[in-house]
Amino acid sequence: MTTASLFSSAFTTLLFLLLVSPSSASTTSTRKLTALVQQQPLILKYHNGVLLKGNFTVNLIWYGKFTATQRSIISDFIRSLSPPPKPPANHSRTQVLVNGGKSLKLSDLAGLASRGPSKNAINVVLTGADVTVEGFCMSRCGTHGASPPSKKGRFAYVWVGNSATQCPGQCAWPFHQPIYGPQGPPLVAPNNDVGVDGMVINLATLLAGTVTNPFDGGYYQGPATAPLEAVSACTGIFGKGAYPGYPGRVLVDRASGASYNAQGMFGRKYLLPAMWDPKTSQCATLV
């Protein structure tokens, strides 16, 4: 196994994941490409604001129904973000289970996020498939934001929902047939859970945006109210040769048929999206 950073070294705060090398247990998807698309330079402007630098603890706030297996898939992904060979000093991550109503407004998310420790932290609110959230499936699969400025400082937070029963074609692609566009066959989810494996993709996307644009003054393209960020600028790209409707060439587990491009702790496999590389001005994939 090799170690690869999810961000370019231009960012001082890096997310790491152990990547699996192709072996006898896996193979590369051999789908033939019908077209070759030349990637155009992608420029994300730095807006002279704060970036999240140094060690940050990612705390998880669970809202709604999740099985123990579902929680472990996401928890193992978060734990896999710490660079080897030893865990960071702030490895005492907090997890909070919250029971409440089955419908949330966007304004409720900051309050839920505040239930976790706020110093040097990114608090992640995860809503179950039984919970509806304002705008979920219609305009977003999750979001990231920040607490209001105060004397104690600000903390960043992320929210991601489980789309399994609400909109898997929108928020869990490529593990489900898309709602619109080319209708290629869906990939097999690496942890056999379309909703939660889709959450991992969206969580990786939003964590990247949080680190590189936590308070709307970091790296992005377009308006601050609807920015294209480090991963959202590379939507739909998971491997080399990707084009609309085709996620690209990724690894396939020969035993299960599951598609993935990264391997984390305890042998967990994940499919993670491409990320903007400021050195090349391109979307960089893990395989």
Side-chain angles (χ1 to χ4, degrees):
M1 291 187 294
T2 59
T3 303
S5 67
L6 301 186
F7 283 98
S8 164
S9 57
F11 299 117
T12 55
T13 301
L14 304 178
L15 301 181
F16 289 84
L17 198 80
L18 296 180
L19 302 183
V20 66
S21 299
S23 67
S24 58
S26 62
T27 184
T28 303
S29 173
T30 57
R31 177 174 174 178
K32 185 177 180 180
L33 302 183
T34 58
L36 294 177
V37 179
Q38 183 66 38
Q39 220 182 111
Q40 297 299 313
L42 176 64
I43 306 299
L44 302 189
K45 181 182 177 181
Y46 176 50
H47 293 77
N48 300 312
V50 174
L51 306 178
L52 299 190
K53 302 179 180 181
N55 288 332
F56 280 74
T57 302
V58 178
N59 301 306
L60 303 179
I61 296 98
W62 304 90
Y63 188 96
K65 291 183 179 179
F66 288 93
T67 66
T69 298
Q70 290 175 325
R71 289 199 299 269
S72 68
I73 292 169
I74 293 178
S75 296
D76 290 348
F77 169 66
I78 295 299
R79 293 178 67 183
S80 298
L81 298 179
S82 298
K86 57 185 179 180
N90 60 345
H91 64 277
S92 54
R93 178 168 45 86
T94 296
Q95 297 199 51
V96 179
L97 276 66
V98 181
N99 293 315
K102 300 301 182 183
S103 179
L104 295 173
K105 295 181 178 179
L106 282 178
S107 57
D108 297 326
L109 299 175
L112 286 171
S114 68
R115 297 195 180 199
S118 60
K119 185 177 181 180
N120 294 331
I122 301 172
N123 291 340
V124 176
V125 177
L126 302 159
T127 52
D130 59 322
V131 178
T132 61
V133 180
E134 180 185 1
F136 187 50
C137 295
M138 292 182 289
S139 59
R140 57 178 62 88
C141 300
T143 191
H144 73 87
S147 63
S150 70
K151 293 182 179 179
K152 295 182 179 180
R154 305 180 73 183
F155 72 89
Y157 68 86
V158 169
W159 157 65
V160 173
N162 186 339
S163 67
T165 59
Q166 298 182 50
C167 57
Q170 180 174 337
C171 294
W173 186 85
F175 304 128
H176 192 279
Q177 208 80 13
I179 298 175
Y180 307 108
Q183 297 293 306
L187 304 182
V188 177
N191 295 285
N192 199 33
D193 191 314
V194 169
V196 173
D197 279 303
M199 290 181 77
V200 170
I201 292 173
N202 296 321
L203 180 54
T205 300
L206 291 164
L207 283 174
T210 299
V211 170
T212 58
N213 187 34
F215 309 125
D216 299 329
Y219 287 89
Y220 63 88
Q221 181 186 101
T225 53
L228 289 177
E229 298 176 323
V231 173
S232 60
C234 301
T235 296
I237 301 174
F238 297 88
K240 298 286 194 298
Y243 57 84
Y246 173 55
R249 299 186 295 274
V250 297
L251 303 176
V252 178
D253 187 280
R254 290 184 178 180
S256 66
S259 295
Y260 68 104
N261 58 13
Q263 182 168 309
M265 296 184 68
F266 312 118
R268 288 277 191 198
K269 292 181 174 67
Y270 299 101
L271 186 68
L272 300 181
M275 180 175 296
W276 175 67
D277 184 344
K279 288 185 176 180
T280 63
S281 296
Q282 301 285 343
C283 293
T285 59
L286 295 176
V287 296

